[in-house]
Amino acid sequence: MAMMDDVDFLISHIRNSFITSDDTGMCELIIEMDEAERPNTRAESFSTYAHWNTCDSPPSPVDSGLDTSDELSHSYDILPDMDYGAHRRRSNTAQRLERLKKEKRNQCKVKTISWKDSQTNYSADDKGHLFEKKEVPPQERTRKGSFLSQQLDTHGMKGDNPFTEYAKFDGRASAGIATKKIDIFLTMAPADSRAYPMPVVVVATAKVEELIGLICWQYTHEAREPRMIEDTGVYWLHIAEDDGEVDMDFPSLDKREPVSKFGFSKLALVERAPAHPTPKKSLVVTINVPSRGFNKFQVENMHVPMKDILNKVLKRRKIKVKPGLSYYLEKQSEPGSVIDLESTLAATDTMEFCLVRENSQRGDLEELYPVDSSDVAESLTSHQYKSYIVNMVHKLRTNTEVQLGVSGEKVEIDPVTNKGTGRLFKQKAVTYDADTIADCDIVENRSNGKCVFRMMYQTNHDYKHHDFEVEEEVASEIVQKINNILELRLSQTRKDFVAIRDRKRKRDSLRYS
């Protein structure tokens, strides 16, 4: 407090306090500009204020005794040895008190026992019972092996994996290499675990034979039961459904082909797969159609009604029973011997029959399959372009009138623009290549004289369809024209669709037979 009467120090201290506490920097800019403009005025005010009560007249700056050469002097620097804030040194008394507290806490942990000499003298014999010598039986030292040794011994007891050479195709241990994950259904597994596939990650460049070896290696490595045969040649891979059912309609995968060639995500490992699929049932009924081939149906037992067999063959042959017309079955070996449809298969004493229309004889093909004389001409001219006005059927909005153009190369759908129609749902013009068309068939006959036919097409490996409504005669002409084109072109899309359709029909017939 002795320096508080120094005016220059106070002004300098206040100025520096403003400057250092202002984050914006405005105080520093204003104070420095003000000091630079009025250097003499500040010096005189300092001297006048310092000697206001001691002098009769205001002293001059020279007589004030202060050094005013540096008008913008700075505040005192803060030195490290100054006792400010948290850096203040503790007093000796506080340090001593803390040391005494530590010593007192340590003394509580120490127990002092004073040693006293015994007043009674014991002889050597008396002291012998206090320190008797005990005999310790020798112990056999058992050498404990490390955890690695125990694992090696355990692994050696289980035996080596005979399919170790295929472990290099495991995609789980391959980084930076294209892999493929496939769910494998194991037909040799127990019945309770057969429905749960084993996920296998294989290198994309591996072949089917190497994939089979990898499956055997992973199966053995996971200690599954029962054990697999050490020869991979007895195992084959087949296409499987999502529920694990093996699709024996298709042959097994070629073992020489790479895995990346096939796009199946679910396969089944079959032991000693037969070259040809074997039927599940041994009872097979044959229905002959004169000059039209035959159909075979599998039945569960001999108590199936003959009426059900007739309905199956009519459905398979797509024969529409019109009012006033009926069909019946005859024994193949006895022409004219009509089978009672209410009887069972066991009562007929035969497994071969012939389909005949009522009031006709065998060989009347026109009655079962009426042939139009213009079918050949229609087949030859089916590649020529022809357009039809039809209505496109939609699920969530009204039907749209379109122009359907059919030719041997493509199918065009162009909307017919009419004045006054809304523009909320406007049909776009589309064109489908003939090779992408899969099928065309009539799906519904309506009471107003019109029918709905469906055109199936493939896009992005998926089958979609368009439904059209038109008069029955026009619909039959369009369906026949498109089917003739499909039969003549025989594209890959058509082949795949027919194969899938036949497989579903066969499965349905076996399921409901």
Side-chain angles (χ1 to χ4, degrees), residues 220-232:
T220 308
H221 182 71
E222 295 178 0
R224 293 173 179 258
E225 293 294 338
R227 297 178 61 87
M228 303 192 73
I229 303 175
E230 297 185 2
D231 183 14
T232 58

Side-chain angles (χ1 to χ4, degrees), residues 31-62:
I31 291 174
E32 288 185 355
M33 291 178 59
D34 185 65
E35 294 292 345
E37 292 176 359
R38 299 184 298 172
N40 297 329
T41 305
R42 192 176 67 86
E44 292 177 359
S45 62
F46 288 166
S47 301
T48 303
Y49 181 79
H51 302 280
W52 180 260
N53 298 323
T54 59
C55 301
D56 297 336
S57 62
S60 62
V62 180

Side-chain angles (χ1 to χ4, degrees), residues 238-252:
H238 282 260
I239 304 173
E241 302 292 341
D242 294 339
D243 56 354
E245 181 182 358
V246 183
D247 195 346
M248 302 300 293
D249 295 339
F250 291 92
S252 60

Side-chain angles (χ1 to χ4, degrees), residues 125-288:
D125 297 337
D126 295 337
K127 297 179 180 179
H129 71 282
L130 299 176
F131 304 98
E132 292 181 356
K133 184 178 180 180
K134 296 182 180 180
E135 294 183 1
V136 181
Q139 297 180 357
E140 296 181 1
R141 294 185 178 181
T142 58
R143 185 178 179 182
K144 268 190 175 182
S146 62
F147 182 72
L148 178 59
S149 302
Q150 297 177 5
Q151 291 292 325
L152 292 176
D153 295 341
T154 306
H155 180 73
M157 293 174 61
K158 290 183 178 179
D160 297 333
N161 194 328
F163 308 100
T164 308
E165 58 178 318
Y166 297 101
K168 60 184 178 180
F169 301 104
D170 190 3
R172 297 174 296 179
S174 303
I177 303 178
T179 58
K180 186 176 182 179
K181 182 179 179 181
I182 305 175
D183 293 334
I184 305 298
F185 290 95
L186 304 171
T187 58
M188 71 289 303
D192 55 348
S193 61
R194 196 175 300 170
Y196 302 97
M198 180 179 69
V200 177
V201 181
V202 64
V203 180
T205 56
K207 296 182 179 180
V208 176
E209 183 178 5
E210 296 166 345
L211 173 59
I212 295 175
L214 176 62
I215 296 171
C216 297
W217 173 83
Q218 184 171 337
Y219 182 92
T220 308
H221 182 71
E222 295 178 0
R224 293 173 179 258
E225 293 294 338
R227 297 178 61 87
M228 303 192 73
I229 303 175
E230 297 185 2
D231 183 14
T232 58
V234 301
Y235 296 104
W236 301 82
L237 284 176
H238 282 260
I239 304 173
E241 302 292 341
D242 294 339
D243 56 354
E245 181 182 358
V246 183
D247 195 346
M248 302 300 293
D249 295 339
F250 291 92
S252 60
L253 304 186
D254 191 354
K255 294 185 177 182
R256 298 169 296 179
E257 297 293 340
V259 179
S260 58
K261 180 179 178 180
F262 305 97
F264 306 108
S265 60
K266 298 183 185 299
L267 297 174
L269 186 67
V270 181
E271 181 179 347
R272 291 189 178 91
H276 300 285
T278 56
K280 297 181 181 179
K281 306 295 181 180
S282 58
L283 300 178
V284 180
V285 178
T286 304
I287 307 297
N288 295 288

Side-chain angles (χ1 to χ4, degrees), residues 37 177 189 192 196 202 332 335 359 409 448 462 464 476 487:
E37 292 176 359
I177 303 178
D192 55 348
Y196 302 97
V202 64
Q332 181 66 23
N359 300 325
E409 301 294 333
N448 56 358
D462 190 16
K464 297 183 179 181
S476 302
E487 294 297 332

